[in-house]
């Protein structure tokens, strides 16, 4: 089977063609051109690694695999449609009564890589809300007790605060193709010690050891390296990684767009870093308000579908520009 996520639009195109019996009728019903529908069907077959339809100049007939897939897809699309309608109703009900100011505090690991995306979605659904988002270790950041909600990897141990586990974020190791071409691709966790690592600096001290979990057997491996680069922000880590400066542990959803573009490559996918817990904490009395309840509920749902919320992609053009700038800087530094 080919690698890649199946877009729901491909499934919709397949079900439409199956129900209509031909590309011509499907085009008439949907307004989508036959050429586009044909490309979508071909792409779906590539992703599934199976032929779904037998095509001729006169008709289209399903294969055995096509009939089996169609039986599953009809129910799937019905369920998705029902859930979307339920979500739409919930949003409409919430929008009618949600307004005012929402104050948020997030640790540096999740502020730009997750919380910003959730805030964007929330404000689109609740235009009468005004939001303030601060980073926890900023010099002018407010205290946790002064905000509506705190988001981080560990719940603060403070009285009158309720900590809710939103979920766990999957992590992976990534490097640029340029870095791997120069330094080789590590094949074992032990080999990471010979590579330049980009590490997340913890607020309370130096970077923690890299804890890897085997996906093929029940095994764990702790990697202790001297990082070549340290930072307290995932965007800086990803930028360093794209620029070919080393191997970085990043949230899978956060690196996903660059992997799809070929700008980053997974390293040791069978040994990913441990997933990280994601908590939100709030004062019990604040949670009584509809505004905060709506935001916390949205965060919990977004963790489950987090891969679809990251739209900012580092491009190969940006990498080339960065590399050119670095070469010019090195040339200027030579005597």
């Amino acid at each position: 089977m080919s690698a890649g996520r199946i877009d729901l639009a491909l499934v919709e195109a397949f079900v439409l063609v199956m129900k209509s019996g031909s590309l011509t009728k499907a085009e008439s019903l949907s307004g989508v051109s036959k050429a586009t529908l044909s490309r979508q069907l071909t792409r779906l077959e590539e992703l599934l690694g199976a032929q779904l339809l037998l095509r001729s100049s006169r008709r289209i007939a399903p294969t055995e695999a096509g009939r089996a897939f169609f039986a599953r897809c009809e129910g799937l699309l019905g369920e998705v449609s029902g859930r979307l309608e339920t979500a739409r109703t919930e949003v409409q009900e919430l929008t009618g009564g949600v307004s005012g100011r929402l104050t948020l505090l997030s640790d540096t690991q999740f502020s730009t890589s997750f919380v910003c995306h959730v805030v964007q979605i929330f404000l689109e659904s609740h235009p009468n809300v005004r939001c303030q988002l601060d980073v926890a270790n900023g010099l002018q950041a407010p205290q946790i007790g002064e905000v509506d909600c705190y988001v981080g990897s560990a719940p603060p141990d403070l009285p009158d605060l309720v900590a809710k586990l939103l979920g766990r974020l999957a992590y992976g190791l990534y490097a640029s193709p340029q870095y791997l071409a120069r330094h080789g691709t590590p094949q074992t966790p032990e080999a990471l010690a010979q590579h330049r690592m980009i590490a997340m600096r913890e607020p309370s001290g130096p970077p923690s050891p890299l804890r890897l979990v085997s996906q093929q057997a029940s095994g764990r491996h702790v990697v202790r390296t001297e990082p070549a680069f340290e930072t307290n922000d995932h965007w800086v880590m990803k930028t360093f990684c794209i620029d070919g400066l080393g191997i970085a542990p990043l949230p899978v959803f956060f690196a996903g767009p660059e992997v799809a573009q070929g700008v980053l490559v997974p390293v040791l996918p069978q040994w990913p870093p441990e997933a990280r817990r994601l908590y939100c904490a709030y004062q019990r009395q604040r949670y009584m308000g509809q505004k905060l309840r709506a935001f916390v509920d949205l965060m919990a749902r977004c963790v489950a579908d987090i891969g679809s919320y990251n739209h900012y992609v580092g491009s190969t053009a940006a990498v080339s520009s960065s590399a050119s700038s670095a070469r010019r800087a090195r040339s200027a530094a030579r005597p």
Side-chain angles (χ1 to χ4, degrees), residues 263-286:
V263 178
L264 291 179
V265 177
V267 174
L268 289 175
Q270 70 276 23
W271 282 96
E274 283 183 328
R276 301 210 61 167
R277 291 180 175 86
L278 181 63
Y279 291 91
C280 68
Y282 45 82
Q283 293 177 329
R284 192 180 303 275
Q285 62 271 25
R286 288 180 184 259

Side-chain angles (χ1 to χ4, degrees), residues 185-195 268:
T185 302
Q187 301 299 319
T188 64
E190 292 80 4
L192 291 173
Q194 308 303 319
H195 284 264
L268 289 175

Side-chain angles (χ1 to χ4, degrees), residues 94 122 286-298:
L94 290 172
F122 186 77
R286 288 180 184 259
Y287 191 67
M288 298 301 293
Q290 188 179 13
K291 175 181 57 183
L292 181 57
R293 288 204 313 272
F295 183 76
V296 172
D297 290 345
L298 176 62

Side-chain angles (χ1 to χ4, degrees), residues 61-83:
T63 64
E64 183 179 357
R67 287 191 294 271
F69 190 64
F70 177 69
R72 293 284 187 180
C73 289
E74 272 198 308
L76 171 65
L77 292 180
E79 181 180 351
V80 170
S81 177
R83 288 191 177 188

Side-chain angles (χ1 to χ4, degrees), residues 53 88 95 114 150 197-199 221 228 240 263 293 332 335:
L53 298 170
R88 184 181 70 85
T95 303
F114 174 68
Y150 166 75
M197 301 298 295
I198 303 169
H221 191 92
F240 281 170
V263 178
R293 288 204 313 272

